[in-house]
Amino acid sequence: MAIEKPSCEHGVDERWILSASSDHKPVPTMSLAWGYGNNNGPLHWHEKFTIAKDGKRQSPIDIQTKEAQYDPNLQRRPIMVNYKSEMGMELENNGHSVKAQMKEKSELRGGPLEGTYLLEQFHLHWGAENGEGSEHTIDGNKYDAELHLVHYNSKYETFAKAADKPDGLAVFGFMVKVGKSNDGFEKISKDLGNVLVKGKKCNMADKFDPSCLFSDLTAYWTYAGSLTTPPLYESVTWIVFKKAVEISQEQMDSLRLLQDSEGKSIVNNYRPPLSVGDRVVNSSFS
């Protein structure tokens, strides 16, 4: 079905439940308040989103580096991004994270992807304290947060049409650790006070180029996976980078000031790793 108005971390409206059909596609029938609490968190998502248990390519996963298979073709087809600077980029507190929505045509090609993908939005996941917060783990090691840049396959024309297709989405995953201050992230951090409450939006005054958030796109792992939030579509080619992004402690704490629909701090907004199953994780480096 066509999704008319994506809204959530990965761009999918949370006001859906799954139909009884075997293809796990949602129908817009009633409100469903999923979250990360004891009563509505990842351990309960399967109660309405059966793909959480029945799916074969769910994300995130723990990346076992010694089991990843080096694919030399990934080096022959380097990842190429052509991101456009955003004027007045919109930040939104959607109650689960902070989301930055793109308006410009920012392109992604190469690596494990066929064709051109367009950047839709980016957001983060983080913990209540340092040492947890990433969704993917590397050899069992957790990071303080994880940055996701969500792209959709341009052949489907819109994010809504691409969201549930097997090759519909490509997501960059960057591990985030507390360290030195990040000049690019500071532009976002200083505006988070304008979106402290769920539903709040603001437009950034400064021009923002999303590529300022990272540097090295050469070393990564990639695998076939899913959205990490409901409706958990198995439509994502994950590209998880080896080099972590650093932000300062102050910048990390600014994320923890955001509030959910109950006025509580948004923290521990991550899904724990799922089984890799029979999937292969490829790497661009040996």
Side-chain angles (χ1 to χ4, degrees):
M1 60 176 285
I3 305 171
E4 294 299 329
K5 190 178 179 182
S7 66
C8 204
E9 286 104 308
H10 291 288
V12 181
D13 197 315
E14 69 189 70
R15 298 171 296 172
W16 294 335
I17 61 171
L18 294 179
S19 65
S21 64
S22 61
D23 59 4
H24 308 294
K25 293 183 180 179
V27 291
T29 55
M30 62 176 285
S31 175
L32 172 66
W34 63 269
Y36 294 94
N38 293 330
N39 298 320
N40 64 355
L43 293 179
H44 292 276
W45 290 352
H46 71 278
E47 295 167 9
K48 294 296 183 181
F49 302 93
T50 58
I51 196 172
K53 270 191 173 181
D54 300 340
K56 302 301 183 184
R57 50 179 281 191
Q58 286 291 289
S59 296
I61 62 170
D62 176 47
I63 296 174
Q64 292 288 313
T65 58
K66 291 184 178 179
E67 295 180 10
Q69 297 185 13
Y70 169 59
D71 182 355
N73 290 320
L74 296 176
Q75 280 193 341
R76 298 187 191 108
R77 302 183 70 250
I79 288 176
M80 305 289 289
V81 295
N82 181 22
Y83 286 174
K84 306 294 186 182
S85 292
E86 296 276 337
M87 286 299 299
M89 184 176 71
E90 182 183 271
L91 296 179
E92 178 188 1
N93 176 343
N94 58 25
H96 301 297
S97 182
V98 57
K99 182 182 73 170
Q101 185 66 44
M102 302 298 106
K103 294 183 296 184
E104 302 297 330
K105 187 177 181 180
S106 290
E107 297 178 337
L108 162 65
R109 298 184 181 88
L113 306 174
E114 297 293 335
T116 301
Y117 286 68
L118 302 177
L119 181 61
E120 173 73 8
Q121 52 103 330
F122 65 85
H123 62 271
L124 297 99
H125 302 262
W126 59 88
E129 56 188 27
N130 296 351
E132 63 178 352
S134 65
E135 299 205 296
H136 290 89
T137 54
I138 313 297
D139 291 327
N141 295 313
K142 301 176 181 178
Y143 284 76
D144 304 323
E146 186 167 336
L147 168 66
H148 291 164
L149 291 97
V150 183
H151 310 76
Y152 68 93
N153 195 327
S154 63
K155 76 178 184 180
Y156 296 115
E157 299 179 346
T158 67
F159 177 88
K161 293 177 182 177
D164 64 347
K165 305 301 188 298
D167 62 345
L169 306 179
V171 180
F172 281 177
F174 288 93
M175 302 299 106
V176 178
K177 64 180 181 181
V178 170
K180 61 184 180 182
S181 181
N182 186 304
D183 291 341
F185 189 76
E186 181 61 23
K187 295 179 181 180
I188 297 171
S189 181
K190 71 179 185 180
D191 273 339
L192 291 182
N194 296 321
V195 294
L196 289 180
V197 180
K198 179 186 177 182
K200 286 290 187 179
K201 300 179 182 180
C202 76
N203 295 100
M204 292 175 57
D206 296 333
K207 182 186 294 186
F208 189 84
D209 181 349
S211 63
C212 74
L213 295 171
F214 53 82
S215 56
D216 184 9
L217 299 181
T218 60
Y220 61 87
W221 300 278
T222 183
Y223 74 98
S226 73
L227 299 177
T228 63
T229 60
L232 306 169
Y233 288 141
E234 295 187 333
S235 57
V236 179
T237 298
W238 276 97
I239 302 173
V240 180
F241 292 93
K242 181 180 181 181
K243 184 176 181 179
V245 170
E246 286 190 47
I247 63 175
S248 69
Q249 184 65 60
E250 184 178 5
Q251 291 170 333
M252 183 74 246
D253 290 340
S254 69
L255 291 168
R256 297 176 177 138
L257 294 176
L258 299 174
Q259 299 174 11
D260 63 17
S261 59
E262 299 178 351
K264 298 178 180 178
S265 296
I266 298 176
V267 292
N268 298 330
N269 57 346
Y270 60 92
R271 188 187 194 191
L274 283 299
S275 172
V276 177
D278 59 2
R279 287 176 288 180
V280 173
V281 177
N282 289 313
S283 67
S284 66
F285 59 97
S286 57

